[in-house]
Amino acid sequence: MTDRLNPGDPAPEFTLPTDTGETLSLADLRGRKVILYAYPAAMTPGCTKQACDFRDSLASLQAAGYEVVGISPDKPEKLAKFRERDAITFPLVADTDKAVLTAYGAYGEKQLYGKTVTGVIRSTFVVDEDGKIERALYNVKATGHVAKLRRDLALD
């Protein structure tokens, strides 16, 4: 079982390639609140729904001081297609070796249709301005998660 993060833990640092061919580091976002969400695969129904929910809430999340970053094991080229197809307006980072997902506890054994499989555990992390975990939410649902997160963060 992968170790899970808890509030107050330092958020694991990363520098990863993005959907635009650049790199993004968690350190680049220091001083801002970050919502980092881990999803299994770009352009699948659940992941598309979740990404579009974040996209549609992005202006109000940013107005409340949050940056949104999506992370998956997809290659940057696939992330670029996802961004273009669904007009994703926040960075998507590629963790092809799954090292960052593992460091966040978002990669490991999970239940899928009653079977134990190894893969990305759909998760969301709220990182504070100092790089500490404020919230670590595991096994979240793709549908309705952004609305629940907004309620939890007292944004609605």
Side-chain angles (χ1 to χ4, degrees), residues 17-19 36-44 46-51 54 68-76 78-80 82-83 88 90-95 98 101 106-107 110 119-125 140-142:
T18 71
D19 55 310
L36 176 70
Y37 81 96
Y39 60 97
M43 298 197 280
T44 56
C47 297
T48 298
K49 172 73 175 129
Q50 187 178 22
F54 272 115
V68 174
V69 177
I71 182 172
S72 76
D74 297 305
K75 290 184 167 76
K78 185 175 182 187
L79 297 177
F82 188 32
R83 172 179 36 87
I88 305 300
F90 52 85
L92 301 171
V93 295
D95 184 22
K98 304 169 193 80
L101 289 162
Y107 187 82
K110 64 179 185 174
V120 175
I121 300 161
R122 191 181 303 276
S123 308
T124 300
F125 307 93
V140 302
K141 302 276 184 243

Side-chain angles (χ1 to χ4, degrees), residues 4-75:
R4 295 198 165 181
L5 296 174
N6 293 296
D9 289 346
E13 289 293 337
F14 62 81
T15 299
L16 293 170
T18 71
D19 55 310
T20 62
E22 298 170 355
T23 58
L24 179 70
S25 298
L26 185 60
D28 295 340
L29 301 171
R30 195 72 75 241
R32 291 178 270 177
K33 296 177 190 175
V34 178
I35 297 170
L36 176 70
Y37 81 96
Y39 60 97
M43 298 197 280
T44 56
C47 297
T48 298
K49 172 73 175 129
Q50 187 178 22
C52 291
D53 283 352
F54 272 115
R55 177 200 66 203
D56 295 346
S57 288
L58 188 62
S60 63
L61 289 169
Q62 287 177 330
Y66 293 93
E67 296 295 327
V68 174
V69 177
I71 182 172
S72 76
D74 297 305
K75 290 184 167 76

